[in-house]
Amino acid sequence: MITISQELALFPFIQPGHRFYPQIEAWRAMIDEHPEYEQWCERMSGSERSIIHAEIKGAPTANGWSLDQFSWSFQYWDISQVCQFQATTLNYTANSGHAVWSHFPTDPCLQSVDTFFRQQCQPGGVLRCNVLRYTPLQQLTFRVSPLLGNAALMIGKFKRHSHYAQAYEQLESVARSVQRSEVSFTVAAPLGVDHTRCLYFQEAKPGQQLTTLIDKEHALSILERVGEVHQELHTLDVPDAPVWQFDSMLLNLQRNINWISFFRPDQLRVLQAIQILLLQHVPDADPDSYVFCHGDFRCPQILSLGDSWSITDFDLGLCGDVYREIATFQTSLRYDLPLFQEPRNAVLYEDASAAYLDGYQQQAGRSLDIKRLYWYRICAEITYLALMFRHNWYTPGLFAEALEHIQQLSGQLQRGSGIKW
């Protein structure tokens, strides 16, 4: 996801007078006073890989929002350790009413991670586990390298008890569909599930994430190919995939606008005007036209090795409107790729987005309904605006640029034509 700053600042947009300020300020103090704080600062300015995962979730109330969940996790990789991945996390839930520190592999909601990693990160362990991504309280993804023999690399995923089985079944269903189809990409083969640990394994696909491959020279050609691959994905027949509910999008639109204006009340009138425009142009919802969608189709989920392409992470797969997924992918480019976060590359972003659409349309053998796409793109941009505040990505400049982009798209929706693809 987007990288805004390497500072340890904690939701700096929450200032005195805001409803969340007393709680955030108390957690700022807990972080500042932690014995490892100075070490974290040194690591952030050093050469070792370090990231901060920060997240707040709110629950709507009659007059605004209450703080429902908070997480702040300092994560780094230390090659001198048997278990290279290290994380110290501060978690709060409204149900518990207090914030608690934990150190990886301890996690209050992924309890089997602790036993598994402590067994493997010992001299007698038979696996080398390299953590790829850790979202506290939700999921852990790691690469498994057997220390003995010639077994292939695997990817392991811990998820919450309510999510792991469905995610694995979805992967099995997608893998079977790809085997039956003549598509030009592959997906990870499911390799087994451990129900006692809420853990499953899948094949580790070769290649690099597109986030590391897309540069000025190759952006257009790569994204045109992404469009072709994406359209192929939408031809898969995946039985029993959950069906997306259009009404949920309208509810989320209202929720996101309320969330954004909770932190930026000065933009409430602008956001409400955009919402009115969207409601005036709501596209028809036709479940009979829905196709299988990835659910989180973004550059980090796409791997490339020469002419070989793979798509990963089908956990959110569903049967839905292709325009929603296309629009979300276009929006994600400006947040996932630092190249497109630079204002001087605004034209390149539009050209790359157009190349992606060209690839999609050529593969489909038909043109897309651009006005319908405008509508979904505005909704996707508003979703990312809300995520800025949820995940601590917010900066005034980034917010202003995103809001200006939304207003431009709104003008194009109103006119019904005129954007450069």
Side-chain angles (χ1 to χ4, degrees):
M1 271 298 179
I2 191 168
T3 301
I4 298 300
S5 173
Q6 290 191 331
E7 297 177 0
L8 273 68
L10 181 65
F11 301 102
F13 52 86
I14 298 177
Q15 295 294 310
H18 192 276
R19 181 179 300 180
F20 287 179
Y21 181 77
Q23 288 172 295
I24 295 294
E25 191 65 9
W27 295 326
R28 283 191 185 115
M30 290 181 69
I31 293 169
D32 290 347
E33 294 167 4
H34 193 279
E36 297 178 28
Y37 180 80
E38 291 187 4
Q39 180 187 106
W40 295 335
C41 293
E42 292 175 1
R43 289 189 179 277
M44 289 301 286
S45 60
S47 59
E48 290 182 320
R49 181 185 172 197
S50 303
I51 61 172
I52 293 175
H53 173 92
E55 183 174 10
I56 50 174
K57 294 182 180 179
T61 64
N63 59 347
W65 296 81
S66 63
L67 211 160
D68 187 54
Q69 186 174 312
F70 162 84
S71 178
W72 186 92
S73 181
F74 187 88
Q75 304 174 7
Y76 65 96
W77 284 256
D78 185 346
I79 60 175
S80 69
Q81 301 295 319
V82 176
C83 181
Q84 295 182 5
F85 178 76
Q86 304 289 317
T88 303
T89 305
L90 181 63
N91 284 316
Y92 164 87
T93 61
N95 289 337
S96 67
H98 57 275
V100 177
W101 286 105
S102 62
H103 187 76
F104 184 83
T106 301
D107 185 292
C109 293
L110 304 175
Q111 297 179 1
S112 55
V113 171
D114 194 320
T115 304
F116 180 87
F117 270 80
R118 291 190 191 281
Q119 289 175 344
Q120 297 307 322
C121 295
Q122 295 291 333
V126 296
L127 301 175
R128 178 181 290 111
C129 300
N130 179 25
V131 172
L132 303 177
R133 184 169 60 254
Y134 174 47
T135 304
L137 308 180
Q138 298 180 46
Q139 65 179 9
L140 175 79
T141 303
F142 61 101
R143 183 183 292 110
V144 182
S145 308
L147 295 177
L148 300 174
N150 297 315
L153 296 177
M154 298 186 296
I155 299 295
K157 289 190 176 185
F158 284 96
K159 286 183 173 289
R160 298 185 70 154
H161 184 270
S162 56
H163 295 155
Y164 83 96
Q166 181 179 349
Y168 188 72
E169 290 169 4
Q170 178 93 291
L171 175 61
E172 288 182 309
S173 188
V174 172
R176 286 193 298 267
S177 178
V178 170
Q179 288 176 347
R180 297 191 302 264
S181 305
E182 295 182 359
V183 294
S184 63
F185 63 88
T186 62
V187 300
L191 298 177
V193 59
D194 183 340
H195 292 287
T196 61
R197 288 191 170 111
C198 302
L199 164 68
Y200 65 89
F201 294 95
Q202 64 188 49
E203 176 188 12
K205 301 300 295 184
Q208 291 180 268
Q209 291 182 352
L210 291 195
T211 47
T212 65
L213 296 177
I214 295 177
D215 55 22
K216 285 186 177 181
E217 182 181 356
H218 302 99
L220 302 189
S221 60
I222 290 176
L223 284 165
E224 182 176 1
R225 178 67 182 129
V226 172
E228 296 170 355
V229 169
H230 200 185
Q231 197 282 325
E232 287 186 295
L233 185 150
H234 287 156
T235 67
L236 294 179
D237 178 18
V238 182
D240 303 322
V243 179
W244 177 65
Q245 301 298 316
F246 182 82
D247 289 347
S248 67
M249 184 159 195
L250 298 179
L251 292 174
N252 286 334
L253 174 64
Q254 180 66 68
R255 183 184 177 96
N256 286 334
I257 286 176
N258 290 343
W259 180 249
I260 298 163
S261 57
F262 181 60
F263 299 102
R264 287 293 303 268
D266 57 310
Q267 297 299 329
L268 177 59
R269 291 181 63 183
V270 172
L271 292 168
Q272 287 178 334
I274 294 168
Q275 183 180 17
I276 290 171
L277 175 67
L278 290 171
L279 295 177
Q280 289 172 342
H281 295 272
V282 174
D284 294 333
D286 181 12
D288 290 338
S289 69
Y290 288 176
V291 301
F292 179 73
C293 296
H294 182 278
D296 189 27
F297 190 81
R298 299 182 297 109
C299 287
Q301 320 289 29
I302 308 167
L303 304 177
S304 176
L305 180 63
D307 294 331
S308 299
W309 289 62
S310 302
I311 304 175
T312 65
D313 292 342
F314 285 87
D315 304 356
L316 302 178
L318 45 72
C319 185
D321 191 329
V322 295
Y323 285 88
R324 173 176 175 262
E325 181 148 284
I326 292 169
T328 302
F329 176 76
Q330 288 181 287
T331 302
S332 73
L333 292 174
R334 293 194 301 112
Y335 292 86
D336 287 337
L337 301 175
L339 176 68
F340 296 138
Q341 294 167 21
E342 300 178 23
R344 67 175 181 270
N345 289 331
V347 173
L348 178 62
Y349 163 72
E350 295 294 345
D351 289 342
S353 185
Y356 158 75
L357 283 182
D358 286 343
Y360 189 98
Q361 292 175 121
Q362 290 170 14
Q363 184 68 26
R366 61 182 174 85
S367 297
L368 293 168
D369 181 342
I370 297 302
K371 186 173 181 180
R372 188 180 185 92
L373 191 55
Y374 290 160
W375 192 89
Y376 278 104
R377 282 192 68 183
I378 295 168
C379 291
E381 291 282 356
I382 290 173
T383 297
Y384 269 89
L385 269 188
L387 289 174
M388 283 187 197
F389 296 100
R390 176 173 167 176
H391 290 292
N392 201 23
W393 302 340
Y394 173 88
T395 66
L398 184 67
F399 181 85
E401 290 171 14
L403 193 59
E404 181 181 359
H405 194 62
I406 290 172
Q407 290 172 310
Q408 291 172 353
L409 288 170
S410 298
Q412 290 151 358
L413 174 64
Q414 217 162 11
R415 293 187 296 272
S417 62
I419 194 169
K420 174 186 178 184
W421 293 116

